[in-house]
Amino acid sequence: MRNSTKIVRDAAEKAGRDPMSVRIYHNIIVAPDLPKAEEEAVVGGRAITYFELPGFGDLIVDINGWDKTVLDAIRAHPKIAGLNGKPADQAYTRQELVDVSKLLPQQWLDEGAAVGTAARCADQLMDFLDAGAHEILLHGSSPKDMGPLTAELKRALAAKGL
């Protein structure tokens, strides 16, 4: 996230804008307190729907300095290669993409998702705020699963005096 913040701020300055006037939004998959199988679908299955998209997956990999051969392997997987340009989320459920997500390095999942207990997820989200995000867009888990995370975020924000 710090790298992304720097990229945005540098681009704003280059464009003649006040770098601190640019609002930064971070989009993150969250999976608080989920059973392992559901977590794999929410995080891994959902991530595949981003990585397989030409342009978007490439951008994520490039910005993070990750190994592009992993992206190639994802796109060569029979489920993805057979889509002929159709987005994976229109052809498969997240659960059906878990096998493809096994190609993702754990580091990619750790850096791109908030996973674990609600308290751990809240702490991860606070790290994004500390790195420069003004707002965080949460997705992945259903609203019914967000209650404990909401309580933990309130705790974490109060601890910082926010």
Side-chain angles (χ1 to χ4, degrees), residues 10-19:
D10 288 351
E13 188 169 9
K14 214 178 217 180
R17 292 186 60 188
D18 175 5

Side-chain angles (χ1 to χ4, degrees), residues 79-95:
K79 281 186 178 174
I80 305 303
L83 291 174
N84 298 320
K86 182 178 181 181
D89 64 352
Q90 291 180 18
Y92 300 106
T93 66
R94 294 183 300 191
Q95 290 80 6

Side-chain angles (χ1 to χ4, degrees), residues 12-78:
E13 188 169 9
K14 214 178 217 180
R17 292 186 60 188
D18 175 5
M20 299 313 288
S21 71
V22 177
R23 295 197 51 83
I24 297 175
Y25 298 83
H26 184 67
N27 194 18
I28 186 165
I29 298 170
V30 293
D33 296 323
L34 296 180
K36 186 68 174 165
E38 190 174 349
E39 179 183 296
E40 288 178 336
V42 166
V43 178
R46 180 75 175 242
I48 291 302
T49 67
Y50 301 132
F51 287 116
E52 61 92 14
L53 291 172
F56 193 65
D58 302 276
L59 182 63
I60 295 169
V61 169
D62 290 345
I63 284 173
N64 288 289
W66 292 338
D67 182 0
K68 200 152 195 152
T69 61
V70 175
L71 194 59
D72 296 337
I74 290 167
R75 291 176 176 158
H77 188 283

